Amino acid sequence: MFNTPSTLTFLFTDIEGSTLLWERYPDAMKSALARHDDLLREAVTVHGGRVIKTTGDGLHAVFASTSDAVLGVLAAQRALANEQWGEVGRIGVRMGLHSGAAEAREGDYFGATLNRAARLMSIASGGQILLSEAAAGLVRDVLPPDASLRDLGEHRLKDLKRAERVYQLLASDLRADFPPLRSLESFPNNLPVQLTSFVGREKELADSRRLLGTTHLLTLTGPGGTGKTRLSLQLAADVLELFADGVWLIELAPLADPSLIVQTIANVLAVREQPTRSLIAVLRDFLRDKCLLLILDNCEHLIEACAQLADEVLHASSQLRIVASSREPLGIAGESIYRVPPLSVPVLSPESRVLSDKSEDAASSDTAQGRLSIQEFESVRLFVERAQAARADFALSDANAHAIAQICARLDGIPLAIELAAARVKSLSVEEIAARLDNQFRLLTGGSRTALPRQQTLRALIDWSYNLLTEPECVLFRRLAVFAGGWTLEAAEQVASDDVRPTMDEIDSHPPSAVLRPDDVLDLLDSLVNKSLVIAEPRDGGTRFRFLETIRQYARDKLLESGESERVRDRHLDYIERFARAVDLNLRTGDVRTWSDSAEREQDNLRTALEWSLARQPLAALRILGSVAMLWNNWGEFTEGQRWCEQALARTQTATGTEFSSARAQVLAALAQLTMARGDIETARQAIEASLRLYRELGRPAAMAQAFSVRVLIAYFRGERDAATAYFDEGLALARAANDKYAEMMLLGAMTSVAASRGEFAAAETYTEQAASIAREIGSQLGLGMAMMSGGMLAFVRGDYRLGRARLEESHADFQHMGQQHFANITRSELAHVARLLGEDERAVQLYREVIRVWKHEGHRAGIARCFECLAFIAGGHGKSTYAARLFGAAESLRELAHAAMMPGEQAEYAQQVQQIRSGADDATFANAWSEGRALTLEQAIQLAMSDE
């Protein structure tokens, strides 16, 4: 019969670096491993534990008492430390202890508790003992006198589930200091925390990992709901340490436009556009020397664009790997395809009475064994775990085993379908669930009780879940389909509720549905979460909700069938338009970080609203872009921002009226800034002049003043200093007449560059101080940061390095606080220059190396080259001419590759420094070192810059 789960403590061990030891000392390792096994078995059994089995170069044991487990692992580590291992050297064994319930059968244990113990062990170093919070809590007050616990904080384990607070077990006679834990945080990644455990799939994980080692593109295929995404995430977590430059999830489901794929990848990798270069070219260069894994999730609706992108970037990088999940293969050369099967299920007879395909007599004599064996099926384990999450007292038993087996078999082992069914145990028994599923599938298949096609099964299961909802729940469920990339409670309340009665035309066009008040949404949304139809994810002190993509597609179909799709999309558009206005206001004079982060989270919803408005309400598209177009500038996504602006302008080219003209003028000004940032100065000039003409016709002096700040910079970049001054004078007069402080601040900031280029440093200083003063007055965080950065760079140009430092440090702190990392790294670079010119070489080297790390991540090769050169200046000053020559060579090669010439001021310092350093070295040696530097890869050159030799 089924054993009742009880709290036990499980131990997993492993020899660190055993593969290398076996390669180096194959004969010696045989005897060493045998001795290792003897020592661990003795320590475990003496202290009341039982070795369940050996696992490669480790073992798996169980203790009834956590205090006994602690005594056992301490004894084991002491025995290992005191042993003489001969030519093998030291054997370092990592150990993990976790306490919890587990199912026992046939001398073994099964369940999530064991998985967590194994994961805990995997992040330790050889000789280190780690305890979970559960184990530590049970033993904290009964530790041996010479033992203690060290809190190592929360860490995410490779099961991607909740974070685990980890403790290290210390003893006075054992090693205490180890490298950082090898948890997910130790490796660059953006893998999301999963709210549920990963069940089964051992074979699929092993197969996909093996395939990934032999191919650059692995595509996981299968119908919706089979767990392709979850398998790809677990695979990514398992191979994390193999990719020095990280594992990055690219979520494609919210995208409708294939042209946004490259931008989405660039966003995740923090790759920024560069003037005069396409983003795909910048991305290719960034990936060229990266050891990196991309997870392209949900490719099927963008299959051709994904295939083209994968083919292009894989040809550019020898170390890049891609795992794609799609309902169909990408279809490019070199692709390996792995079809994700459903979970294993119990086999039912045609009469659905027994759990195997044996004869009736054999089945009758083996009923107990047959029932016990259903725990071995992945689908059953998944159902039980998810049912326990829905109802804490739920357990697999003799009484419900048959019904659970029926459910899993009838759902064909589809993970999503099983999770939806398991969520129903709150209100139905498993027997009732099984009976209702049977009726539902009979109806759908004309009475056939044979296995259903998997996609039909999933659709039927969601149909069943949907049909069990109350009418208000159905209404909310389908209306939430308008959101892309998730939503907040506030958004759901505003978009999915009814604050007005439907019109008679709406009533005639489709049957009336339940009227939802905003106050109803919270309870209804909570109900959908409880039924596993909506996922709730804690984030930044709040909660964000989302659908799984398969369920979102279903909800979208239901919304279209309801006849209210257009009305709900209009409400979504209204919400996004209000949100855009709030973002614009707060980025000017509010909490920049909070609103920048909020806008970034809503980027998919912004795109969805823009697509709808361009088709239905182009004036709304103009208004949204007028408010938030510059976000794409702040995000470094100039091309996408430019494309939206150009589409909206083209769509409204023949529109007339004051509202359209005013909105078009604002979008034209935004277009000018975006194209100026890309280096397309002529397009920027045409756009800003068109904007100014419209504002002049409309009689909008304050708006004209803001547009003039852009016109000043465009004239500056064109070398038209006199014209820039004239534009500044006209704009400043308009701003002051309209008492528009924001426009005045922008104009003063722009004029700082013009004055400095003329050598009018006193005037430039005045402009900067006035801009900073206004920024403080109106509460513009971003404006103050930019003013402080301009002031610091101005002081630097004038040779006042100490003042420059003070201003740059203030600006750097501001940008860090606002989450503007690109600007923060610019100020960090300037601070490095100041430290170098003040003779603070150690500080300068530290800062340059920090800058290199960020520029490497962003793919800013010109910035990296400049850091190489400055590090070479410092090295040459300390007599390290050969080292300096290697850095000069690496920088020269990098500049050629990036087509990045030096600025005039940089050229003068560079020529002087190279000549001075060259004079202190033998010509041949210096030339050879220079050539060696030119031959380095970017990664090798960065390693050189990070070292002192």
Side-chain angles (χ1 to χ4, degrees):
M1 303 295 83
F2 291 107
N3 292 344
T4 303
S6 59
T7 299
L8 301 169
T9 297
F10 294 93
L11 166 67
F12 279 83
T13 76
D14 180 59
I15 299 176
E16 184 178 39
S18 61
T19 301
L20 184 60
L21 290 174
W22 277 106
E23 290 178 357
R24 288 182 177 177
Y25 316 107
D27 294 330
M29 272 298 288
K30 292 179 183 178
S31 58
L33 182 59
R35 183 58 181 154
H36 155 276
D37 290 350
D38 290 342
L39 293 174
L40 264 62
R41 283 181 181 276
E42 181 180 0
V44 168
T45 55
V46 165
H47 293 90
R50 178 169 65 87
V51 175
I52 299 172
K53 56 188 172 185
T54 57
T55 54
D57 294 328
L59 60 77
H60 169 205
V62 61
F63 294 82
S65 161
T66 310
S67 58
D68 287 343
V70 166
L71 293 173
V73 294
L74 288 174
Q77 289 290 14
R78 286 170 177 140
L80 292 166
N82 293 329
E83 185 70 18
Q84 298 300 315
W85 298 101
E87 66 174 315
V88 173
R90 187 181 67 86
I91 294 287
V93 176
R94 49 188 180 177
M95 301 181 177
L97 289 174
H98 177 50
S99 301
E103 295 286 350
R105 68 175 182 271
E106 299 177 7
D108 203 348
Y109 290 87
F110 299 87
T113 298
L114 282 78
N115 296 335
R116 184 150 286 249
R119 292 297 192 188
L120 191 66
M121 176 272 293
S122 70
I123 69 173
S125 298
Q128 190 173 29
I129 306 168
L130 298 182
L131 279 70
S132 67
E133 186 166 24
L138 292 171
V139 80
R140 182 178 285 110
D141 297 329
V142 290
L143 287 171
D146 62 341
S148 62
L149 294 175
R150 175 184 291 170
D151 187 347
L152 300 182
E154 287 197 344
H155 292 265
R156 291 175 60 204
L157 307 180
K158 290 183 182 179
D159 61 3
L160 298 178
K161 203 181 175 185
R162 60 173 175 81
E164 176 70 61
R165 182 164 289 278
V166 179
Y167 295 83
Q168 180 181 336
L169 180 61
L170 303 175
S172 57
D173 58 340
L174 293 177
R175 179 185 173 192
D177 295 326
F178 296 94
L181 299 183
R182 289 177 286 188
S183 55
L184 291 185
E185 290 86 351
S186 303
F187 304 95
N189 73 91
N190 69 333
L191 299 179
V193 174
Q194 298 295 313
L195 304 181
T196 55
S197 59
F198 184 74
V199 177
R201 297 295 198 190
E202 289 84 2
K203 180 181 183 299
E204 288 79 6
L205 271 175
D207 288 347
S208 56
R209 180 165 183 166
R210 175 181 53 78
L211 284 171
L212 187 60
T214 64
T215 185
H216 286 267
L217 171 62
L218 172 62
T219 302
L220 306 180
T221 66
T226 53
K228 301 184 295 295
T229 295
R230 192 61 187 274
L231 178 60
S232 68
L233 291 176
Q234 195 63 48
L235 171 63
D238 280 359
V239 300
L240 201 58
E241 64 271 18
L242 303 181
F243 295 91
D245 296 301
V247 172
W248 306 98
L249 171 64
I250 313 298
E251 297 182 283
L252 300 177
L255 302 184
D257 185 350
S259 67
L260 295 177
I261 297 176
V262 175
Q263 184 67 72
T264 301
I265 296 173
N267 291 351
V268 171
L269 299 178
V271 174
R272 299 185 181 277
E273 292 189 52
Q274 297 176 9
T276 73
R277 301 188 68 205
S278 68
L279 185 56
I280 184 61
V282 177
L283 183 61
R284 272 199 317 267
D285 283 349
F286 173 82
L287 293 171
R288 192 178 306 279
D289 53 7
K290 296 290 189 298
C291 181
L292 183 147
L293 175 63
L294 290 179
I295 309 295
L296 302 182
D297 189 37
N298 285 300
C299 298
E300 52 273 349
H301 63 305
L302 304 168
I303 195 73
E304 291 184 7
C306 287
Q308 182 178 352
L309 180 279
D311 189 58
E312 191 161 356
V313 297
L314 286 172
H315 277 92
S317 173
S318 62
Q319 300 183 82
L320 175 67
R321 296 289 187 275
I322 294 177
V323 173
S325 66
S326 175
R327 297 185 187 183
E328 60 178 303
L330 270 60
I332 65 175
E335 178 183 26
S336 292
I337 301 166
Y338 186 77
R339 301 192 183 281
V340 179
L343 299 174
S344 58
V345 299
V347 179
L348 301 177
S349 71
E351 292 77 23
S352 188
R353 297 301 181 200
V354 295
L355 302 178
S356 73
D357 57 0
K358 299 177 182 179
S359 68
E360 186 172 343
D361 291 342
S364 177
S365 66
D366 198 25
T367 301
Q369 182 62 39
R371 287 174 177 170
L372 283 171
S373 69
I374 74 165
Q375 295 177 92
E376 298 174 5
F377 295 103
E378 295 170 324
S379 57
V380 172
R381 301 210 308 268
L382 178 64
F383 183 92
V384 171
E385 283 203 20
R386 298 303 187 259
Q388 288 172 342
R391 205 184 80 199
D393 63 344
F394 183 87
L396 177 64
S397 66
D398 286 330
N400 63 22
H402 183 75
I404 292 174
Q406 281 187 304
I407 293 168
C408 294
R410 292 213 172 277
L411 294 181
D412 228 13
I414 299 174
L416 177 57
I418 291 168
E419 292 184 348
L420 290 172
R424 288 288 170 187
V425 300
K426 275 189 172 182
S427 53
L428 298 172
S429 70
V430 288
E431 291 79 10
E432 289 173 318
I433 294 173
R436 288 168 186 257
L437 282 177
D438 189 42
N439 292 336
Q440 180 76 1
F441 292 163
R442 277 190 186 214
L443 176 65
L444 290 172
T445 59
S448 172
R449 301 187 64 174
T450 58
L452 303 174
R454 291 183 189 120
Q455 198 60 39
Q456 187 177 3
T457 300
L458 179 62
R459 174 77 185 197
L461 195 282
I462 304 177
D463 271 335
W464 177 65
S465 293
Y466 181 78
N467 292 334
L468 289 177
L469 298 178
T470 65
E471 178 62 14
E473 288 172 340
C474 288
V475 173
L476 179 61
F477 173 77
R478 63 182 181 243
R479 289 179 182 178
L480 292 173
V482 298
F483 291 103
W487 65 88
T488 62
L489 174 60
E490 178 189 19
E493 289 171 338
Q494 295 187 38
V495 173
S497 64
D498 298 287
D499 56 1
V500 295
R501 292 182 178 274
T503 65
M504 291 306 299
D505 288 340
E506 290 172 334
I507 292 174
D508 291 340
S509 65
H510 62 278
S513 59
V515 175
L516 301 188
R517 298 172 302 172
D519 291 345
D520 298 331
V521 171
L522 174 58
D523 289 340
L524 294 172
L525 187 55
D526 185 57
S527 179
L528 294 177
V529 171
N530 289 336
K531 293 176 173 64
S532 295
L533 290 169
V534 169
I535 296 172
E537 298 175 323
R539 184 176 296 181
D540 299 333
T543 302
R544 192 164 180 85
F545 302 89
R546 66 179 177 89
F547 282 130
L548 289 175
E549 182 57 22
T550 302
I551 293 179
R552 180 175 180 257
Q553 292 173 9
Y554 178 94
R556 185 180 56 196
D557 291 344
K558 287 296 182 184
L559 181 62
L560 290 170
E561 292 171 9
S562 73
E564 60 177 5
S565 175
E566 292 185 4
R567 181 162 62 93
V568 178
R569 292 202 69 172
D570 285 343
R571 288 179 62 82
H572 179 264
L573 174 59
D574 290 342
Y575 170 76
I576 291 298
E577 188 175 346
R578 291 193 298 272
F579 174 76
R581 286 198 297 270
V583 169
D584 184 33
L585 176 63
N586 283 278
L587 289 183
R588 290 170 183 256
T589 58
D591 184 346
V592 171
R593 177 157 200 156
T594 297
W595 284 91
S596 291
D597 291 348
S598 295
E600 193 161 8
R601 284 193 292 271
E602 298 297 351
Q603 191 170 10
D604 290 324
N605 280 312
L606 281 167
R607 289 165 172 162
T608 297
L610 285 170
E611 289 168 357
W612 179 251
S613 60
L614 285 173
R616 296 290 300 268
Q617 299 183 39
L619 179 58
L622 290 173
R623 287 197 292 252
I624 292 171
L625 287 168
S627 296
V628 300
M630 289 315 298
L631 283 171
W632 279 282
N633 184 67
N634 296 347
W635 294 330
E637 300 165 15
F638 314 117
T639 301
E640 183 183 349
Q642 178 179 347
R643 184 170 65 251
W644 284 121
C645 290
E646 289 175 343
Q647 288 179 3
L649 291 168
R651 179 72 174 80
T652 60
Q653 191 169 11
T654 59
T656 58
T658 300
E659 283 188 291
F660 272 105
S661 295
S662 178
R664 281 177 57 83
Q666 194 170 3
V667 174
L668 283 163
L671 177 63
Q673 290 178 276
L674 289 163
T675 51
M676 179 174 62
R678 293 190 65 218
D680 187 353
I681 303 303
E682 181 55 27
T683 299
R685 182 191 64 78
Q686 294 175 10
I688 200 62
E689 288 183 352
S691 175
L692 284 166
R693 280 196 300 272
L694 284 172
Y695 280 139
R696 203 180 296 277
E697 292 170 3
L698 292 166
R700 298 279 304 279
M704 280 183 68
Q706 291 187 33
F708 267 121
S709 68
V710 181
R711 190 64 185 93
V712 169
L713 286 173
I714 292 172
Y716 163 70
F717 285 124
R718 288 167 57 91
E720 301 167 348
R721 295 173 181 169
D722 291 341
T725 302
Y727 293 136
F728 168 74
D729 290 340
E730 184 175 358
L732 188 64
L734 290 169
R736 288 176 173 169
N739 194 31
D740 189 327
K741 294 292 187 179
Y742 184 82
E744 185 177 353
M745 177 188 71
M746 298 296 291
L747 283 157
L748 290 165
M751 193 59 189
T752 299
S753 300
V754 178
S757 70
R758 291 177 178 271
E760 299 169 354
F761 298 121
E765 181 77 17
T766 299
Y767 295 139
T768 296
E769 290 175 352
Q770 291 175 344
S773 176
I774 293 174
R776 293 188 186 95
E777 179 185 347
I778 65 176
S780 176
Q781 296 178 349
L782 197 56
L784 182 59
M786 297 297 290
M788 287 295 99
M789 183 170 72
S790 296
M793 295 170 71
L794 178 61
F796 175 69
V797 171
R798 294 180 63 183
D800 191 342
Y801 305 133
R802 296 186 187 280
L803 177 60
R805 166 181 283 174
R807 288 178 170 173
L808 287 168
E809 285 178 343
E810 183 176 354
S811 176
H812 179 72
D814 287 344
F815 287 132
Q816 291 275 49
H817 177 72
M818 289 183 279
Q820 303 291 315
Q821 297 304 322
H822 181 71
F823 288 122
N825 210 43
I826 292 175
T827 54
R828 186 184 287 115
S829 176
E830 296 298 329
L831 285 166
H833 297 327
V834 171
R836 174 169 60 84
L837 293 171
L838 287 174
E840 300 171 358
D841 290 349
E842 186 175 341
R843 173 64 174 157
V845 168
Q846 177 188 352
L847 287 169
Y848 283 128
R849 288 173 175 171
E850 290 176 6
V851 171
I852 287 172
R853 291 188 186 97
V854 178
W855 285 158
K856 175 192 175 186
H857 187 66
E858 292 193 4
H860 190 351
R861 299 191 175 211
I864 295 172
R866 179 59 180 164
C867 289
F868 286 172
E869 291 155 0
C870 293
L871 287 170
F873 299 160
I874 296 171
H878 288 270
K880 299 181 179 181
S881 55
T882 304
Y883 175 71
R886 290 194 184 97
L887 285 172
F888 283 137
E892 182 179 67
S893 175
L894 192 56
R895 283 191 181 276
E896 290 173 1
L897 185 64
H899 305 287
M902 294 182 200
M903 300 292 288
E906 294 173 345
Q907 290 175 349
E909 182 185 24
Y910 177 82
Q912 178 186 358
Q913 288 282 347
V914 170
Q915 181 61 36
Q916 182 177 336
I917 295 170
R918 186 191 297 272
S919 66
D922 173 77
D923 287 346
T925 302
F926 194 85
N928 287 337
W930 192 293
S931 297
E932 290 171 3
R934 284 187 57 85
L936 296 174
T937 65
L938 176 59
E939 190 62 41
Q940 290 169 334
I942 289 175
Q943 289 176 4
L944 176 67
M946 295 298 178
S947 70
D948 293 322
E949 298 180 5

